[in-house]
């Protein structure tokens, strides 16, 4: 049993000190994942990668809610989901008129590019929710690849499928999401 798995088990059993032991072990990997996610966000983002890591971590080890972690992979899959939700919540918050969502920021040298980059994440989230209802394993694969930044090999291991199956699922899910986002009027980013 790895150190991370042991600590996750201790958190599950209510050890109040285990959460403080976990962060130093997983922080670098979570920071890397958050950095990858934030690199895909629109310029001028107010949420920083460090903030994303901390918020996701707090949601993952909330001592008031009992968490059940089967493995290190399960923990990182949950971290990817938490980061996705935080980014979507942030995009929705920014879209509200109270936060200037009805206004559009246009840089002087980009005056011709008027597409709202926040639409991509919201369109992806909506399409991903639809995919999860129809094909939950493929949706989980997308979350692990896109939000956790896992390779196909790592994703296949977490999902317990062969690499060939993961590649097929990835191709099908990408095509499905592209079609769903295109139909909704959003734009798909690779």
């Amino acid at each position: 049993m790895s150190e991370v798995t042991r600590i996750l088990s201790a958190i599950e059993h209510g050890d109040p000190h285990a959460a403080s032991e976990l962060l130093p072990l997983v922080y670098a990997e979570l920071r890397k994942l958050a950095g990858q996610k934030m690199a895909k966000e629109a310029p001028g983002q107010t949420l920083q990668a460090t903030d994303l890591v901390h918020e996701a971590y707090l949601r993952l080890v909330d001592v008031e809610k009992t968490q059940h972690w089967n493995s290190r992979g399960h923990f990182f899959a949950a971290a990817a989901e938490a980061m996705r939700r935080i980014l979507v919540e942030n995009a929705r918050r920014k879209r509200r008129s109270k936060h200037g969502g009805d206004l559009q920021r246009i840089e002087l040298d980009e005056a011709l590019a008027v597409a709202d980059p926040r639409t991509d994440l919201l369109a992806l989230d909506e399409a991903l929710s639809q995919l999860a209802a129809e094909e939950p394993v493929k949706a989980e694969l997308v979350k692990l690849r896109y939000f956790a930044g896992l390779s196909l090999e790592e994703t296949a291991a977490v999902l317990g499928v062969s690499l060939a199956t993961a590649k097929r699922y990835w191709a099908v899910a990408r095509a499905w999401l592209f079609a769903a986002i295109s139909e909704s009027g959003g734009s798909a980013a690779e």
Side-chain angles (χ1 to χ4, degrees):
M1 180 182 290
S2 75
E3 185 68 9
V4 172
T5 305
R6 183 192 64 74
I7 293 172
L8 290 172
S9 178
I11 291 171
E12 182 179 335
H13 290 96
D15 181 351
H17 303 296
S20 63
E21 294 175 33
L22 180 64
L23 186 58
L25 295 175
V26 297
Y27 186 81
E29 287 182 69
L30 289 176
R31 181 70 172 84
K32 181 180 172 188
L33 294 175
Q36 291 169 346
K37 296 300 135 230
M38 297 309 296
K40 295 176 184 176
E41 288 296 302
Q45 180 64 253
T46 56
L47 185 66
Q48 299 296 315
T50 302
D51 299 329
L52 183 58
V53 169
H54 292 182
E55 181 64 29
Y57 184 79
L58 289 174
R59 290 183 184 194
L60 292 171
V61 297
D62 185 353
V63 293
E64 305 209 357
K65 298 177 187 172
T66 304
Q67 304 289 340
H68 301 286
W69 308 111
N70 298 331
S71 65
R72 182 179 181 280
H74 182 218
F75 176 78
F76 281 100
E81 177 65 17
M83 288 181 190
R84 178 181 78 89
R85 289 180 182 183
I86 292 164
L87 290 171
V88 168
E89 289 167 9
N90 193 45
R92 283 187 179 136
R93 182 186 58 80
K94 285 184 170 185
R95 185 177 266 184
R96 292 186 201 122
S97 60
K98 178 179 177 179
H99 296 283
D102 52 351
L103 303 175
Q104 188 170 6
R105 170 183 260 160
I106 299 175
E107 299 295 328
L108 186 58
D109 60 342
E110 297 176 5
L112 298 177
V114 284
D116 185 352
R118 294 174 291 183
T119 304
D120 288 345
L121 185 60
L122 296 176
L124 174 62
D125 180 60
E126 184 177 321
L128 195 53
S129 295
Q130 292 170 0
L131 179 62
E134 294 178 29
E135 299 282 347
V137 176
K138 290 178 181 132
E140 188 63 27
L141 181 135
V142 171
K143 290 176 193 175
L144 290 169
R145 294 274 294 137
Y146 188 81
F147 291 99
L150 298 182
S151 68
L152 272 171
E153 293 81 7
E154 293 167 327
T155 303
V158 168
L159 294 176
V161 299
S162 70
L163 179 58
T165 299
K167 286 179 180 179
R168 279 193 312 274
Y169 284 3
W170 179 237
V172 169
R174 284 178 47 203
W176 193 98
L177 290 170
F178 180 79
I181 291 170
S182 296
E183 286 176 13
S184 73
S187 62
E190 194 80 24

